[in-house]
Amino acid sequence: MAQGKPRVDVDMASGSREPAARRWAALRWLAAGVAHYFSVLLFFGLWEFVARSGWVNPWVFPPVTVSLAEWGRSLATGDIFHPMGLTLLRALGGLTMALGVGITLGLLMGRYRLVEWFFEPLIAIGFPAPKIAFLPLFVLWFGFFNTAKVLIVFTSCIFPLTLYAYHGARSVDRFYLWSALSKGSRGFALLRKVVLPAALPHIFDGFQVALIVSFIVAFVAEMVTGGGGLGFEMIKAAQDAETPRAFAMLFTISLLGYGTIKLAEWLRALLLFWHIEHEAH
Amino acid sequence: MNSAKVEIRDVTKAFRSTGGSQVTALAGISLRIPENEFLTVVGPSGCGKSTLLYIIGGFLKATRGEVLVNGVPVTGPGADRGIVFQKYSLFPWRTVMQNITYGLEEQGVPRAERQEIARSYLRLMRLEGFERAYPRALSGGMQQRVALAQTLACEPDIILMDEPFGALDAQTRKLMQVELLRLWEQRRTTIIFVTHDVEEAIYLGTRVIVMTARPGTVKHDEPIALNIARDKEDYMLNRAFMELKMRIWLNVKEEVERYGEVARS
Amino acid sequence: MKRVVRGVSVLLALVALLAGGAAGHWGFGVAQAAEPVTFRIGTAIPDYAYAFFTERPDILKHYGKSYKIEWVKFTGSGGALSAFAAKKVDLSIMTILPLINAATKYRLDFKVIHSQQDHGVDGHFATTFMARADSGVRRAEDLKGKIAGVNVRGGVLDLALRIMLMKHGLKPDSDVTIVEGQFPHLGAMIRDKKIDLGSIIQPFYSREQKKGGLIDVFTTVDAFETAQPLSFRAAHGSVLKEHAAAVRDYVDDYLRTIAWGHDHREEAVRAYSKTWKIPEETLMDYFLTKKDTLYRRDGVVDVTLLQKVVETLVRTGFLKESVDVSKYVDLSFLPAKR
Amino acid sequence: MPALRKIVVRFLPLLLVFGAWEALTAPRLIPEDFIPRFAHVLRALGDLLSSAEFYGHAAASFSRVFIGLTISIIAGVALGIGMAWYRWVKRFCEPLVVLSYPIPKPAIIPVFIIWLGIGDLSKIAVIALGCVVPIIISSYNATLSVDRYLVWSALSKGTSERRLLRKVIFPASLPRIAVAIRVAIAVAFILLVSSEFIAANTGLGYLTFSYGSVGSNDYMFATIFLIVAVGFSADRGYAAVMQRVLAWHEFGEL
């Protein structure tokens, strides 16, 4: 896909190669692999150097090796899995609810004028609203434990999901609709059988955005309102002046998010195989 | 010794397909295209005729073999070879005028001169009054006229055309063909024109090449020497034209069928 | 192409340079500044001194002459500690746990220089754990199987609650569920039966009392078995060394504002209300009276009381080993008796 | 006049929601501890808007948003295009970008404080970091999906590879980059609050949190309203400008 140099030439390889050339290719591949993570290594190296240089208090900003060791320890003892599970549960719980409601709402907005009229300004205004500021109030309204946190994730995810589904529904080619109408599809069936699949690429865009939002919001909700989970453990570690543990929590959420991003991309390729975007590659 | 404007020497092109297997698009094509020739290339879809054009243009590199233009090997794209695609030749963010002056701008022609040249092509292509319009406001036929003007304004040595009228409706297409012929007869620029329409190929070309199905090779090479005035309306009803059309079409049909079988197996 | 890349890298380098320069400028602004010195003071959001300093600069004597203040506000003493440890503030609010962490984990060179709020000293208010009057929770031992709310788990009130529960034979996490809620909301949560017990501070204690229906179950004094200095101001050793005179002036002005508050209560209420938008009626009820935590006119941090808190923490197992608090308190910056 | 009616009709749902809010809170159907009366929020709004102090906070916040956004746009577009264009840039940046994407930005404020201090820089950095990733990703994708025929068309008219970026790649990917920037604007206003919630002395986010933590909920809601109002206007303003700049393109709604 991405080539160095302008993409004058789109083909990937040409002709057969000599064995020596193939060895070279293998070597290059290996070098590319190292190069791929070079930036992360460099970043960690810089971090380690700075933390050990004496410019900062190493108990305030511990070396990366210390943080990674603490991370390894908590993975080995397994004491990180419980908070991880809690955060995942909250993130995905809220996201699932938002998926159901947001997609339905978005599609309805895209098809029915009255629904659009009522919700469009609310969504437009609600999207840039800082949801994090409502966190304490959510606890007050919905209680402790998981409800408030799942609901704040839900509230944060529903905006991108609705918006993308709405635009997806509006951009459905009218010929699809006409074709379905002429075959007798009406109302909800039309929505489910034609509008939903046709809007799916847009909806998936929204899903990929909301996925990240759900992780971030779940984590921040735990930071601010407690109740266990990676965010809570991080804040607690910071309060107890156990900074390496706080970084371990950050590593965990980062990798967890990374994994789900990749999973979502894979899912997209699986579900949207019929969509034009794959012909481009 | 080398009197050919474009010489294609044993050009082979292999792609790696998405599945990872090698696909040979072109297999050892050699051709000599003399100056002032209007070469049209027909063949079944997927036979690599566009690939060949892109190799001449310098956009793709041949896996083996080479292309010489004026005796010099092609190493990349250049302003000596203008190209017109079926679509997307125009920059949507530039107005008609800005699109036509684009190439001149790139060659460092002073502003006043650019405007003047562009204006002459605007007239030639009957686009007056649309100078300030953006491409998306134009019809398909007008867009292709702008694309042609854009390419002509650079005064290329060779014009490469990749099914330029393929997306147009029948009437517009006919008018554009007439227009193109008129231009070619005035200037006699060497043109290599790829199409899947046999009638178009015979009508426009001074020589028609039929390509085989993948891997593409030259199957049939026929100079068009019909002694008829091409601007006459009944040109295509001429008996000689019909015979020629039938002969070439049979060649193409054979390849289309063969390609179908290859694809099925 | 190359030109663009070069342009971008120059730009990025510039940004980095600017960032570095600015960090150097702001981050270490204290060190070489000529008179007056600017102190960055970390404080909690509802701080009294902040309101008085900003609303009534006319009562200050040295401000703007020998020193200036840049206030930085934190939602809790925990967040303030990490900024203090990173030397991004010169002086900071501190409570007992951050003090212990600063001393034993961050190994900072710092001293506590004046008190801020004292809990329960001389009959003054101490944070009170309240319950619904009709809930049957009257004493700590009634809490078995119930839910208790504190502002932050791992904070000093959480510890007080846990100590109290342990003293009454309950295991904090298995017998009682401890959850977090913000101070302003805990009262409403008790009424709404979301929690059975909550830690209530002022001004919310006054509000809840006025509304009625809630009873006091115990206070932090009951838990720690002593009145205790709740919050105090700490400063980096280097700041104290380099700017001793300016620090003295600051402490002098600080005490001046506290004295002014006590002496001109109505004006103080007005200033505070204006800063934090808390209605004056609510404040009039308790502000700087016995119903409020004690703001000492002399600024003295009672080391004996503080040490007693530490010993309670050690005895109940919340601290592994004792810390000698007196090593971290230096009252020499307080003015000689006025 | 019809324009005014259109606006009224458009925002009627909002008024309905506010009306319902007031109708539920005024007779204390919902206790005021749970949600302030809408009328009180309006009163607080008026009070804030008439105090000079408030504008200082607003200026502090919006300058942070503005600078943070500007940095993220410049860096994001440059990196996104660079990643699509140069293999080494992609190799270098991709892992960092993808790994930093899911990191909750408020969680790294303490780290920013250590490096950039307590002042504006750490807050600008939070906003810039939060906004830059979506811009990088979109610019990257936009650049990759520039039609190769456009590139070829330019090359065949003598455009050098060096100039290609400015003449073709950048304008061709502009519509998608413009959409990404629009998303980034919304993100920036969301982050405004988080960036000011750990250590601050100025800014609307700081006000929001401090009013919240002393129980002045009416004022808290009022500040949030103002942030949203400004965010919303910024979004609409941006859309209007882009509609003009990208007149050649059908600038979509999103």
Side-chain angles (χ1 to χ4, degrees), chain C residues 177-190:
Chain C
T177 311
I178 301 176
V179 296
E180 291 184 18
Q182 285 215 325
F183 281 129
H185 303 149
L186 287 169
M189 288 170 173
I190 299 172

PDB file of all heavy atoms in Angstrom, chain C residues 177-190:
ATOM      1  N   THR C 177     -19.393  -2.355  52.814  1.00  0.00           N
ATOM      2  CA  THR C 177     -18.938  -1.949  51.482  1.00  0.00           C
ATOM      3  C   THR C 177     -18.595  -0.465  51.526  1.00  0.00           C
ATOM      4  O   THR C 177     -19.421   0.348  51.943  1.00  0.00           O
ATOM      5  CB  THR C 177     -20.051  -2.172  50.449  1.00  0.00           C
ATOM      6  OG1 THR C 177     -20.552  -3.490  50.631  1.00  0.00           O
ATOM      7  CG2 THR C 177     -19.527  -2.012  49.043  1.00  0.00           C
ATOM      8  N   ILE C 178     -17.380  -0.149  51.113  1.00  0.00           N
ATOM      9  CA  ILE C 178     -16.974   1.258  51.129  1.00  0.00           C
ATOM     10  C   ILE C 178     -16.920   1.763  49.685  1.00  0.00           C
ATOM     11  O   ILE C 178     -16.281   1.164  48.833  1.00  0.00           O
ATOM     12  CB  ILE C 178     -15.606   1.436  51.818  1.00  0.00           C
ATOM     13  CG1 ILE C 178     -15.700   0.906  53.250  1.00  0.00           C
ATOM     14  CG2 ILE C 178     -15.197   2.908  51.814  1.00  0.00           C
ATOM     15  CD1 ILE C 178     -14.383   0.927  54.002  1.00  0.00           C
ATOM     16  N   VAL C 179     -17.641   2.859  49.423  1.00  0.00           N
ATOM     17  CA  VAL C 179     -17.694   3.395  48.065  1.00  0.00           C
ATOM     18  C   VAL C 179     -17.294   4.868  48.080  1.00  0.00           C
ATOM     19  O   VAL C 179     -17.178   5.480  49.140  1.00  0.00           O
ATOM     20  CB  VAL C 179     -19.107   3.257  47.468  1.00  0.00           C
ATOM     21  CG1 VAL C 179     -19.482   1.790  47.313  1.00  0.00           C
ATOM     22  CG2 VAL C 179     -20.122   3.980  48.319  1.00  0.00           C
ATOM     23  N   GLU C 180     -17.085   5.411  46.867  1.00  0.00           N
ATOM     24  CA  GLU C 180     -16.652   6.799  46.761  1.00  0.00           C
ATOM     25  C   GLU C 180     -17.760   7.689  46.225  1.00  0.00           C
ATOM     26  O   GLU C 180     -18.511   7.294  45.337  1.00  0.00           O
ATOM     27  CB  GLU C 180     -15.461   6.909  45.800  1.00  0.00           C
ATOM     28  CG  GLU C 180     -14.205   6.291  46.331  1.00  0.00           C
ATOM     29  CD  GLU C 180     -13.032   6.514  45.383  1.00  0.00           C
ATOM     30  OE1 GLU C 180     -13.119   7.399  44.527  1.00  0.00           O
ATOM     31  OE2 GLU C 180     -12.035   5.802  45.523  1.00  0.00           O
ATOM     32  N   GLY C 181     -17.846   8.882  46.777  1.00  0.00           N
ATOM     33  CA  GLY C 181     -18.766   9.875  46.253  1.00  0.00           C
ATOM     34  C   GLY C 181     -18.179  11.234  46.557  1.00  0.00           C
ATOM     35  O   GLY C 181     -17.342  11.360  47.443  1.00  0.00           O
ATOM     36  N   GLN C 182     -18.603  12.230  45.780  1.00  0.00           N
ATOM     37  CA  GLN C 182     -18.039  13.547  46.064  1.00  0.00           C
ATOM     38  C   GLN C 182     -18.699  14.158  47.291  1.00  0.00           C
ATOM     39  O   GLN C 182     -19.881  13.930  47.538  1.00  0.00           O
ATOM     40  CB  GLN C 182     -18.243  14.447  44.854  1.00  0.00           C
ATOM     41  CG  GLN C 182     -17.292  14.106  43.734  1.00  0.00           C
ATOM     42  CD  GLN C 182     -16.861  15.336  42.972  1.00  0.00           C
ATOM     43  OE1 GLN C 182     -17.632  16.268  42.791  1.00  0.00           O
ATOM     44  NE2 GLN C 182     -15.615  15.350  42.551  1.00  0.00           N
ATOM     45  N   PHE C 183     -17.923  14.939  48.039  1.00  0.00           N
ATOM     46  CA  PHE C 183     -18.440  15.558  49.263  1.00  0.00           C
ATOM     47  C   PHE C 183     -19.827  16.185  49.085  1.00  0.00           C
ATOM     48  O   PHE C 183     -20.712  15.928  49.896  1.00  0.00           O
ATOM     49  CB  PHE C 183     -17.466  16.618  49.775  1.00  0.00           C
ATOM     50  CG  PHE C 183     -16.300  16.034  50.521  1.00  0.00           C
ATOM     51  CD1 PHE C 183     -15.001  16.387  50.189  1.00  0.00           C
ATOM     52  CD2 PHE C 183     -16.491  15.150  51.577  1.00  0.00           C
ATOM     53  CE1 PHE C 183     -13.917  15.865  50.881  1.00  0.00           C
ATOM     54  CE2 PHE C 183     -15.415  14.624  52.277  1.00  0.00           C
ATOM     55  CZ  PHE C 183     -14.118  14.980  51.928  1.00  0.00           C
ATOM     56  N   PRO C 184     -20.026  16.981  48.048  1.00  0.00           N
ATOM     57  CA  PRO C 184     -21.335  17.648  47.949  1.00  0.00           C
ATOM     58  C   PRO C 184     -22.489  16.664  47.784  1.00  0.00           C
ATOM     59  O   PRO C 184     -23.631  17.018  48.023  1.00  0.00           O
ATOM     60  CB  PRO C 184     -21.216  18.513  46.690  1.00  0.00           C
ATOM     61  CG  PRO C 184     -19.780  18.591  46.389  1.00  0.00           C
ATOM     62  CD  PRO C 184     -19.135  17.378  46.962  1.00  0.00           C
ATOM     63  N   HIS C 185     -22.187  15.438  47.356  1.00  0.00           N
ATOM     64  CA  HIS C 185     -23.272  14.513  47.022  1.00  0.00           C
ATOM     65  C   HIS C 185     -23.560  13.498  48.111  1.00  0.00           C
ATOM     66  O   HIS C 185     -24.575  12.827  48.069  1.00  0.00           O
ATOM     67  CB  HIS C 185     -22.947  13.778  45.735  1.00  0.00           C
ATOM     68  CG  HIS C 185     -22.705  14.692  44.585  1.00  0.00           C
ATOM     69  ND1 HIS C 185     -21.851  14.408  43.567  1.00  0.00           N
ATOM     70  CD2 HIS C 185     -23.211  15.928  44.322  1.00  0.00           C
ATOM     71  CE1 HIS C 185     -21.829  15.408  42.706  1.00  0.00           C
ATOM     72  NE2 HIS C 185     -22.632  16.345  43.146  1.00  0.00           N
ATOM     73  N   LEU C 186     -22.636  13.364  49.045  1.00  0.00           N
ATOM     74  CA  LEU C 186     -22.791  12.261  50.009  1.00  0.00           C
ATOM     75  C   LEU C 186     -24.080  12.390  50.816  1.00  0.00           C
ATOM     76  O   LEU C 186     -24.753  11.388  51.074  1.00  0.00           O
ATOM     77  CB  LEU C 186     -21.564  12.189  50.928  1.00  0.00           C
ATOM     78  CG  LEU C 186     -20.308  11.641  50.235  1.00  0.00           C
ATOM     79  CD1 LEU C 186     -19.075  11.838  51.105  1.00  0.00           C
ATOM     80  CD2 LEU C 186     -20.475  10.157  49.908  1.00  0.00           C
ATOM     81  N   GLY C 187     -24.425  13.628  51.208  1.00  0.00           N
ATOM     82  CA  GLY C 187     -25.660  13.832  51.973  1.00  0.00           C
ATOM     83  C   GLY C 187     -26.876  13.354  51.194  1.00  0.00           C
ATOM     84  O   GLY C 187     -27.703  12.589  51.702  1.00  0.00           O
ATOM     85  N   ALA C 188     -26.944  13.778  49.928  1.00  0.00           N
ATOM     86  CA  ALA C 188     -28.078  13.376  49.099  1.00  0.00           C
ATOM     87  C   ALA C 188     -28.111  11.872  48.916  1.00  0.00           C
ATOM     88  O   ALA C 188     -29.174  11.253  48.848  1.00  0.00           O
ATOM     89  CB  ALA C 188     -27.985  14.067  47.736  1.00  0.00           C
ATOM     90  N   MET C 189     -26.941  11.265  48.858  1.00  0.00           N
ATOM     91  CA  MET C 189     -26.893   9.815  48.681  1.00  0.00           C
ATOM     92  C   MET C 189     -27.398   9.083  49.928  1.00  0.00           C
ATOM     93  O   MET C 189     -28.029   8.033  49.817  1.00  0.00           O
ATOM     94  CB  MET C 189     -25.460   9.382  48.385  1.00  0.00           C
ATOM     95  CG  MET C 189     -25.012   9.775  47.007  1.00  0.00           C
ATOM     96  SD  MET C 189     -23.255   9.497  46.844  1.00  0.00           S
ATOM     97  CE  MET C 189     -23.047   9.841  45.125  1.00  0.00           C
ATOM     98  N   ILE C 190     -27.103   9.651  51.084  1.00  0.00           N
ATOM     99  CA  ILE C 190     -27.622   9.036  52.314  1.00  0.00           C
ATOM    100  C   ILE C 190     -29.152   9.114  52.306  1.00  0.00           C
ATOM    101  O   ILE C 190     -29.843   8.130  52.547  1.00  0.00           O
ATOM    102  CB  ILE C 190     -27.063   9.749  53.563  1.00  0.00           C
ATOM    103  CG1 ILE C 190     -25.534   9.636  53.616  1.00  0.00           C
ATOM    104  CG2 ILE C 190     -27.669   9.152  54.829  1.00  0.00           C
ATOM    105  CD1 ILE C 190     -24.887  10.466  54.702  1.00  0.00           C
TER     106      ILE C 190
END
